[in-house]
Amino acid sequence: ELAGAGYETEGKEYLEKDNEKWVRTVANIDKNPISGNIEAIINISNIHSKKVIDSLINGTIQREFDFIALIYTKTNDFVVIDRFNNSVLEEKTDFIGFMRKELEEKIQNQEEAAKLIAEIDMDNLIDKINIFGSFTLQYNTCDNIDINRHKILRFSFLNNKKNIITLSCRDTTRLYKEEIEQNNKLSKALIEAKKANEAKSQFLSLVSHDIRTPLNGIMGMNQLALKENDLEKIKGYITKAETSSEFLLGLINDILDMSKMEAGKFEFHPETYSYKEFADYINSIIR
């Protein structure tokens, strides 16, 4: 009854204190044709490197993906490697139908769900992977950003025969929220910059008009002075032209100070002035 039986197992073997290795033990039991005795041939092989690599791969899958699936293009059958219990689920049929149902249940926004489900078609997946090398779909589970989960589905061929498609589902909610926050900050900065530019344009529009006022005063007073023979009147014209010149210089300095304000280098210089001189100054400019 024992003849032809076999046994295989994997486990850790302690080679020395605090040093263990993964090994595979294979035992084949058969009847010795010469002696007639039942004998066992036991083979122990070192599979430690393979186990380490498998652990690294499984660890990466568990950290990076919700699940990985293998889809057979000819039959539409599929196998899912579940991240949460780290197991290979049994082979199932009708991947397209299964995936469409899953998306319909997980996505609250019906319009987004309909667009995504329309892409889940075997011919479409094969065409997109052939064109781009891989095909990616993204979706949000709901519109409420506080409880929303953002998922990325990535399809690609497993082999050169192109008869198996690999699907990885990755949760990128944290990165998605960070991207939204960054975009919101950029939008606010863009709005503020636009407002600042509009304010500058309005300022320049107004100040260009104000610059003409003292400039016209300077030119007008100079023309009157050139045509006048009375020294007292000429002195008055020149005085008024000087007042307009000071006003124009003040405007130009204020414009130049704007760049200092933007650089945070603007400084106030409080000075005492006579109200009468100020009133005469304004009257002279306006007249």
Side-chain angles (χ1 to χ4, degrees):
E1 293 178 0
L2 292 175
Y7 176 75
E8 180 177 338
T9 185
E10 292 181 1
K12 290 182 179 179
E13 179 185 49
Y14 289 87
L15 302 181
E16 55 186 58
K17 187 177 181 180
D18 298 328
N19 183 15
E20 59 183 26
K21 296 289 184 181
W22 275 96
V23 297
R24 175 182 289 117
T25 303
V26 179
N28 292 309
I29 302 173
D30 211 342
K31 185 177 182 179
N32 190 314
I34 299 174
S35 64
N37 296 328
I38 300 300
E39 298 177 351
I41 300 175
I42 299 175
N43 177 269
I44 299 176
S45 56
N46 188 331
I47 58 168
H48 191 73
S49 296
K50 181 180 181 301
K51 279 292 184 179
V52 169
I53 293 172
D54 288 345
S55 297
L56 290 173
I57 293 173
N58 290 333
T60 302
I61 291 174
Q62 290 181 24
R63 287 190 300 271
E64 298 292 333
F65 303 106
D66 286 352
F67 68 85
I68 292 178
L70 301 180
I71 308 144
Y72 302 96
T73 58
K74 300 295 183 182
T75 62
N76 196 26
D77 295 342
F78 66 102
V79 176
V80 175
I81 303 173
D82 193 347
R83 159 196 166 176
F84 297 104
N85 57 23
N86 195 25
S87 63
V88 178
L89 304 182
E90 63 181 5
E91 188 172 306
K92 297 182 180 181
T93 59
D94 190 17
F95 166 77
I96 298 300
F98 168 82
M99 200 65 199
R100 287 178 175 177
K101 184 179 178 182
E102 284 285 306
L103 294 175
E104 195 172 38
E105 292 176 353
K106 290 180 178 178
I107 302 175
Q108 291 183 1
N109 189 313
Q110 294 182 356
E111 185 177 347
E112 183 177 0
K115 289 181 180 178
L116 203 67
I117 289 171
E119 296 283 354
I120 304 298
D121 176 81
M122 187 63 74
D123 292 335
N124 179 61
L125 294 177
I126 292 172
D127 289 343
K128 293 290 179 61
I129 298 172
N130 279 325
I131 294 172
F132 302 109
S134 65
F135 180 46
T136 301
L137 293 172
Q138 302 185 38
Y139 68 90
N140 295 300
T141 56
C142 67
D143 296 329
N144 187 340
I145 192 170
D146 293 328
I147 60 175
N148 172 58
R149 305 305 301 176
H150 185 261
K151 306 284 187 177
I152 295 181
L153 304 175
R154 185 177 181 273
F155 299 86
S156 59
F157 287 124
L158 178 66
N159 50 26
N160 293 330
K161 293 181 180 180
K162 299 182 178 180
N163 58 356
I164 300 176
I165 293 175
T166 61
L167 163 63
S168 61
C169 178
R170 185 179 182 188
D171 190 310
T172 57
T173 304
R174 181 178 60 82
L175 296 176
Y176 180 72
K177 287 183 177 179
E178 289 177 357
E179 184 178 355
I180 289 178
E181 291 175 1
Q182 187 65 23
N183 288 338
N184 288 338
K185 290 179 182 179
L186 291 174
S187 297
K188 289 179 181 178
L190 185 62
I191 291 171
E192 293 299 324
K194 188 177 180 180
K195 287 181 180 179
N197 286 332
E198 289 175 353
K200 286 181 181 179
S201 298
Q202 186 178 11
F203 170 78
L204 292 174
S205 176
L206 293 171
V207 83
S208 63
H209 172 76
D210 291 338
I211 286 174
R212 294 188 184 97
T213 302
L215 188 59
N216 287 333
I218 295 168
M219 295 173 65
M221 293 302 107
N222 284 339
Q223 289 176 4
L224 290 174
L226 289 172
K227 296 177 182 179
E228 186 60 61
N229 293 321
D230 189 333
L231 290 177
E232 286 298 321
K233 289 186 176 180
I234 292 173
K235 184 178 178 181
Y237 292 147
I238 293 174
T239 300
K240 291 177 179 178
E242 184 180 6
T243 301
S244 293
S245 298
E246 291 175 355
F247 182 74
L248 179 61
L249 179 62
L251 279 175
I252 293 172
N253 285 334
D254 288 343
I255 294 170
L256 295 176
D257 282 341
M258 285 194 69
S259 61
K260 292 182 180 179
M261 291 172 67
E262 290 180 341
K265 297 179 180 179
F266 185 80
E267 297 179 0
F268 289 102
H269 299 283
E271 295 178 1
T272 303
Y273 64 92
S274 166
Y275 178 77
K276 182 180 183 304
E277 289 180 3
F278 176 70
D280 292 342
Y281 174 77
I282 294 299
N283 289 332
S284 175
I285 293 298
I286 293 176
R287 286 175 182 171

